[in-house]
Amino acid sequence: MTSTFHRNELFLCLCIALLAVFFVTGEVAVAAGPLAKSAATNPGDLPAHVNGAIPERGSWSERPATIWQEAFVTGNGTLGAMVFGDPANERIVLNHERLYEPLLDSPCPVPDIASSLPEVRRLMREGKYAEAYAHSYQAALDAGFPGIQWTDPYHPACAFTIDQSANVDGQVPSIRTVDFQSGEVSVHWKSADKPFVRQTFVSRPDGVIVMRITGGDGERVKGRMGLVNQDSRPKSKRTDEKGGGYHDPEIAADDEWLTYHCKYERSPRGYAVAARVVPIGGNSVANRTSVEFDAEQLVMLIGIESVEIDDGSGKSMRQLQQRLSTIDADYDALLERHAAVHREMFDRVDFRLAESKSREMSNEALIELQKQTADESMQAALLEKMFDMGRYTLICSSGEWPPNLMGLWNGDWRPEWSGDFTLDANVNLQISGANLGALPEAIASYDRLVTGVAGDWRTNARNLFGCRGILAGSRTDGRHNLHTHFSPTFPGHLWLSGAQWMLLPMVEHYQTTGDEVYLKERLLPLMKDVALFYEDFLSERDENGDRMFVPSYSPENHPGNSKSPAAINAAMDIACCKEVLTQLISLREIAELSDDEVQRYTSLLEEMPDYLINEDGALKEWAYPDLDDNYNHRHVSHLYPVWPGHEINPDDTPEWFDAAAEAARRRGRGNGSAHGLSHMALIGTRLKDADLVEGNLRFMLSRGYVLPSLFTYHNPGRIHNADMLHSLPAVVMEMLVYSKPATPTRPGEIELIPALKNTPAFAVGEIHGVRCRNQALIRTLAWDLNQSQLTLELVSAISQTLNIRVRRGVASATMDDGKTLSLAENDGFSVDLEPNQPVQLSIRLR
């Protein structure tokens, strides 16, 4: 697909020239989407000062941010920038993925309470759940546990401020734009008939934040800039009850540099920020801690380093400045080098619905249009932009580690839930679109996080339950994942399913790529350790001889007839144990499992308790007769075997599938957390429930979760959070394409449009680049439900036969050579694929 602004050099050259012309003429150039017949937008539909500045794949805002949560974001995975976009008084919040404030000198150890397990189990089997948990918690206190431990909070580095009021004549019209394909955020304004532009991106190949300020018609840029604290921050452990704290930063400036150096109080760690100032056709002069500039053009290169051991010698700052000094401050060349990498990642997947001129509307206008739509229908243009925004920010926040609760961007020194990696739904949802969306770079960052803390998982298993293998904690700041986040009312240390859920995206990476080296060297040892934990833990049996998960916990819910979240046989625990055992058995040849291993896994799998169905016909959250469901909750952990698992489906387990669908219908939204909405939408894709998917998508986009930047909140109007943003592309991809790998008894399968609702917004569209869990790639899936027509082009990395299904009903399926394929009774047909040989199909629906 060609793009009007695919060549970044053209965009950069035109930015100023077009603005200068278009501010006067009012003409507009509109880029057409892949479904467009022509660029039909009326020039009068857009404000004059917007013309020529809007990227084809991007978004724009009508006004500057008033709070940091509204800032436009850019990043390279490690470094992030949040651009407010005020022409006169700019603020850009700077972030680094490793900046977590140390609350303690060293992490709190996991209490050794394995000896309390028999009594906990006895009390639970007697129905004394609260007493059982109280006994476990008291054992922890007796072992020296000081109480619930929070992860180190993620914090901003500082803010970069620019006073450019000399280039602003009163109240001037301005816009902010972000180009999803290049990662560039721009601020455009016009003052005294002169156009100005301020541009920012974060380079992947050069590891630096790059900024440029220019004026049109030879206008000089003038002002003052500096590095300052971002908002307020806890200064001392003596005044902060949570511990932690910072020494006052050392802020300095000379004619070419701005520097900011900070040390933590409770750790030898610290961080350094340096900004290299490069005036072109002018000069820059230091004034105490700021730099004044007057030039034809100004370029800034900003680096941030997290320093593990800061001895106070200034060595880290000197090294950072030396690195920045070696980078050629040629903005265009730096952007071209970065954009080539970033664009290739972003363009791997493309999603478009029917052509709509509202695609060129501002973010604010699109959000308001979705809110005000009388029939509550979906606005196609907003969904498209949110899909692109979700992929864009996932790319920008996948570095050494994957995105945390805030992605990469934060302006608060003590964010909600520490802004950490929360493992009982949040990071799992955020990474859900990486494999399907052809972003192995994001999975690599996720893999580094998981393998980096897996050593702590062994400590958790040993100290809490006396078991071998691994047991994940519920929260991590990336440095450790010790299972110490529990309190008298929150039994986090009883959660047994975390490790398997965390490994599932890594399994999916193997399924989509076929990388056997990765499977054998990095994944299989951890999978075996998950199974080993369950082998040791599952020593209790019920009256039928089935294994019992006791104690057990379903995040973050509690049974309807019990005040204690501590329980028996959480469905999620059963599902995760069955899943890892099934996966290992299916990999027996590649994994070179011994006969003893296969026999152990098979025996344990056969002794799993069954899921239960309650009197409402719904799948029970706890597969234990004494425990009732509690429907109104944001978490839907018991539907794990529907999504992200594949165990419950309409073909193999129809009774459980119907019960899962009933459980989903009865589930409330709890406190309306965005991750609950995304989670339920993803479950809806697997339940083939188009109404459930569309309803949750529409709710997310119309009820105050979306900011003018298109970043998202955790709840309507509050808590900057990336859960919904990063999982939304996964919802769309699973709504359109569901895939399963081959098994020893049947070929792999691709199901098309399993949960696509036939509404005006969704009736016509196309998606490109979706990867499947059987090493196939959907090059193109185009649909026109009005004409009952699908077009499919796919290619496989291996020789295989794939089953293609469309549950709506297939009337005919024809190859590009005219061959008609035989249809099966299940509304499917088979396609033989050879490696790297594309196949095109035309499918008529009944």
Side-chain angles (χ1 to χ4, degrees):
M1 184 184 71
T2 30
S3 164
T4 306
F5 291 95
H6 265 190
R7 293 194 177 276
N8 208 55
E9 312 88 85
L10 177 61
F11 173 68
L12 290 170
C13 294
L14 288 178
C15 260
I16 297 172
L18 289 178
L19 278 169
V21 173
F22 290 148
F23 270 109
V24 177
T25 66
E27 295 175 3
V28 63
V30 177
L35 297 175
K37 304 302 182 186
S38 63
T41 300
N42 185 333
D45 292 342
L46 298 175
H49 67 282
V50 174
N51 297 329
I54 304 175
E56 181 194 11
R57 300 286 296 279
S59 71
W60 66 281
S61 172
E62 302 169 5
R63 58 173 178 80
T66 56
I67 54 177
W68 65 261
Q69 291 89 341
E70 295 178 342
F72 271 20
V73 301
T74 182
N76 69 352
T78 294
L79 302 178
M82 307 178 69
V83 180
F84 278 52
D86 188 321
N89 293 289
E90 179 66 280
R91 174 175 286 260
I92 300 174
V93 181
L94 306 179
N95 294 112
H96 188 292
E97 66 171 338
R98 292 299 296 263
L99 296 189
Y100 288 80
E101 175 198 352
L103 297 181
L104 300 172
D105 298 313
S106 58
C108 176
V110 180
D112 189 347
I113 59 172
S115 61
S116 69
L117 185 58
E119 180 63 9
V120 169
R121 285 175 162 170
R122 184 188 70 80
L123 290 168
M124 282 200 162
R125 297 192 69 162
E126 292 178 0
K128 300 175 180 178
Y129 303 105
E131 293 91 336
Y133 182 65
H135 180 81
S136 176
Y137 190 76
Q138 185 60 50
L141 297 178
D142 294 342
F145 181 58
I148 190 168
Q149 297 296 296
W150 278 93
T151 46
D152 291 344
Y154 182 61
H155 67 83
C158 60
F160 189 94
T161 61
I162 305 171
D163 179 351
Q164 209 173 337
S165 54
N167 292 134
V168 178
D169 182 16
Q171 295 295 318
V172 300
S174 68
I175 65 164
R176 299 176 291 162
T177 67
V178 58
D179 187 332
F180 296 147
Q181 289 179 297
S182 69
E184 184 183 56
V185 174
S186 302
V187 183
H188 303 268
W189 74 95
K190 176 185 175 185
S191 180
D193 292 326
K194 304 291 185 181
F196 293 86
V197 61
R198 188 185 300 130
Q199 299 153 294
T200 305
F201 72 94
V202 188
S203 173
R204 274 189 176 266
D206 292 294
V208 64
I209 301 169
V210 187
M211 296 176 56
R212 178 171 67 179
I213 308 174
T214 54
D217 296 339
E219 192 72 10
R220 299 178 71 82
V221 294
K222 303 175 183 180
R224 175 183 296 183
M225 63 181 63
L227 295 172
V228 301
N229 287 346
Q230 165 59 20
D231 296 332
S232 60
R233 58 180 206 173
K235 292 184 62 175
S236 170
K237 63 187 178 186
R238 293 180 294 277
T239 59
D240 181 16
E241 62 184 19
K242 289 187 177 180
Y246 308 78
H247 294 285
D248 288 332
E250 299 171 6
I251 304 175
D254 61 36
D255 293 351
E256 298 180 358
W257 292 96
L258 291 164
T259 59
Y260 181 107
H261 180 216
C262 180
K263 291 182 66 176
Y264 301 115
E265 284 209 357
R266 297 298 297 266
S267 167
R269 294 156 53 201
Y271 64 95
V273 184
R276 179 182 163 204
V277 182
V278 184
I280 299 171
N283 60 75
S284 55
V285 179
N287 184 356
R288 299 183 63 186
T289 58
S290 63
V291 169
E292 297 179 356
F293 58 91
D294 183 341
E296 296 174 3
Q297 183 181 135
L298 194 71
V299 175
M300 285 77 69
L301 305 179
I302 305 170
I304 308 171
E305 293 289 347
S306 174
V307 183
E308 291 299 306
I309 303 295
D310 192 331
D311 60 8
S313 67
K315 179 181 178 181
S316 59
M317 183 66 76
R318 290 193 300 272
Q319 290 176 334
L320 176 57
Q321 289 179 287
Q322 182 179 12
R323 183 174 72 82
L324 294 177
S325 296
T326 64
I327 299 174
D328 185 1
D330 182 331
Y331 183 92
D332 291 342
L334 289 169
L335 179 58
E336 182 179 11
R337 185 158 59 244
H338 161 75
V341 177
H342 177 98
R343 182 184 296 116
E344 189 280 326
M345 295 171 67
F346 181 82
D347 284 350
R348 292 172 195 165
V349 175
D350 183 21
F351 165 65
R352 283 291 178 268
L353 295 169
E355 165 68 5
S356 168
K357 67 180 182 180
S358 60
R359 193 173 286 141
E360 280 71 45
M361 294 173 66
S362 71
N363 297 346
E364 291 90 345
L366 277 173
I367 294 168
E368 186 60 26
L369 183 61
Q370 179 65 71
K371 288 180 180 179
Q372 299 302 325
T373 302
D375 61 357
E376 294 190 340
S377 60
M378 178 69 70
Q379 290 299 317
L382 180 58
L383 183 62
E384 285 179 2
K385 287 192 182 294
M386 292 302 296
F387 181 92
D388 281 353
M389 177 70 174
R391 282 182 51 77
Y392 166 72
T393 51
L394 179 58
I395 291 168
C396 290
S397 57
S398 295
E400 179 187 358
W401 290 336
N404 61 25
L405 285 173
M406 313 182 84
L408 177 62
W409 303 277
N410 174 31
D412 189 350
W413 293 93
R414 287 289 174 83
E416 294 286 341
W417 310 293
S418 291
D420 66 10
F421 303 94
T422 305
L423 313 186
D424 66 359
N426 307 77
V427 71
N428 323 71
L429 287 162
Q430 289 204 44
I431 207 68
S432 59
N435 286 304
L436 305 181
L439 290 175
E441 298 87 349
I443 292 297
S445 69
Y446 179 85
D447 176 278
R448 284 188 289 271
L449 176 73
V450 170
T451 55
V453 297
D456 286 347
W457 293 357
R458 294 181 176 85
T459 302
N460 297 336
R462 181 179 63 250
N463 286 19
L464 294 175
F465 297 114
C467 296
R468 298 169 297 168
I470 55 178
L471 176 70
S474 60
R475 318 192 76 93
T476 180
D477 50 30
R479 295 174 63 84
H480 59 80
N481 187 216
L482 298 171
H483 224 333
T484 54
H485 189 76
F486 58 97
S487 71
T489 58
F490 179 75
H493 68 298
L494 303 187
W495 186 45
L496 310 176
S497 306
Q500 176 58 19
W501 196 357
M502 291 297 289
L503 293 188
L504 188 56
M506 298 157 69
V507 174
E508 196 173 63
H509 173 71
Y510 164 69
Q511 292 172 337
T512 55
T513 66
D515 187 344
E516 292 187 10
V517 174
Y518 175 82
L519 173 71
K520 293 178 180 179
E521 294 183 359
R522 298 188 69 83
L523 184 52
L524 274 171
L526 292 175
M527 294 173 67
K528 289 184 176 182
D529 275 344
V530 172
L532 186 60
F533 170 79
Y534 287 125
E535 287 185 85
D536 284 1
F537 179 82
L538 294 172
S539 58
E540 295 281 303
R541 297 177 184 268
D542 63 18
E543 60 275 11
N544 299 317
D546 292 333
R547 305 291 183 123
M548 292 180 68
F549 293 80
V550 53
S552 185
Y553 170 59
S554 188
E556 297 171 9
N557 203 358
H558 65 85
N561 60 337
S562 173
K563 295 182 180 179
S564 175
I568 294 175
N569 283 2
M572 182 184 192
D573 288 341
I574 298 170
C576 284
C577 182
K578 293 173 71 174
E579 182 176 70
V580 70
L581 296 173
T582 302
Q583 288 170 347
L584 285 167
I585 293 168
S586 70
L587 295 169
R588 61 185 300 174
E589 300 298 332
I590 298 173
E592 299 176 345
L593 299 182
S594 67
D595 291 341
D596 175 67
E597 287 176 310
V598 174
Q599 192 277 327
R600 293 195 338 256
Y601 299 153
T602 303
S603 296
L604 187 57
L605 185 60
E606 291 171 349
E607 294 171 348
M608 287 293 101
D610 284 335
Y611 303 118
L612 297 182
I613 299 173
N614 67 20
E615 62 276 8
D616 297 322
L619 188 74
K620 288 194 66 173
E621 188 153 359
W622 296 271
Y624 199 65
D626 295 347
L627 299 174
D628 295 340
D629 283 288
N630 182 28
Y631 289 135
N632 189 28
H633 201 271
R634 64 193 181 277
H635 280 261
V636 277
S637 304
H638 63 309
L639 297 184
Y640 182 99
V642 178
W643 187 95
H646 305 265
E647 178 191 1
I648 293 181
N649 61 75
D651 301 315
D652 302 320
T653 56
E655 182 182 7
W656 287 345
F657 181 85
D658 291 342
E662 184 64 28
R665 282 191 289 270
R666 291 178 176 272
R667 198 68 166 189
R669 292 191 169 109
N671 67 355
S673 297
H675 65 78
L677 302 172
S678 299
H679 199 164
M680 185 58 79
L682 283 162
I683 288 167
T685 66
R686 298 285 179 84
L687 292 174
K688 327 298 179 185
D689 189 334
D691 289 329
L692 185 61
V693 176
E694 193 269 350
N696 277 280
L697 282 172
R698 181 162 32 83
F699 194 94
M700 288 188 281
L701 298 185
S702 61
R703 299 300 182 93
Y705 292 91
V706 182
L707 284 146
S709 62
L710 299 189
F711 213 89
T712 51
Y713 279 128
H714 185 275
N715 297 94
R718 65 187 184 93
I719 309 177
H720 196 252
N721 175 263
D723 294 348
M724 183 184 104
L725 179 60
H726 288 160
S727 54
L728 186 145
V731 175
V732 172
M733 288 185 284
E734 290 257 20
M735 174 180 77
L736 299 173
V737 179
Y738 171 62
S739 58
K740 295 191 293 189
T743 70
T745 59
R746 63 187 178 194
E749 184 170 292
I750 295 175
E751 184 176 342
L752 304 177
I753 58 172
L756 178 65
K757 189 170 183 178
N758 191 358
T759 64
F762 289 126
V764 180
E766 60 188 52
I767 193 165
H768 306 265
V770 177
R771 294 192 179 275
C772 301
R773 298 177 186 89
N774 40 46
Q775 299 184 61
L777 170 67
I778 303 291
R779 283 190 170 178
T780 299
L781 170 63
W783 64 93
D784 186 337
L785 299 185
N786 299 325
Q787 301 297 322
S788 300
Q789 181 71 35
L790 298 179
T791 302
L792 176 68
E793 181 180 353
L794 73 160
V795 62
S796 173
I798 59 175
S799 177
Q800 62 175 322
T801 297
L802 284 179
N803 287 336
I804 311 295
R805 294 188 66 180
V806 189
R807 290 179 191 269
R808 294 170 185 263
V810 178
S812 65
T814 307
M815 303 279 286
D816 56 348
D817 61 3
K819 177 184 177 182
T820 299
L821 299 174
S822 299
L823 303 181
E825 293 182 359
N826 66 352
D827 294 314
F829 53 88
S830 296
V831 177
D832 296 324
L833 299 169
E834 293 302 321
N836 305 313
Q837 297 297 313
V839 170
Q840 295 180 346
L841 300 164
S842 179
I843 304 168
R844 293 286 300 174
L845 304 179
R846 288 206 300 267

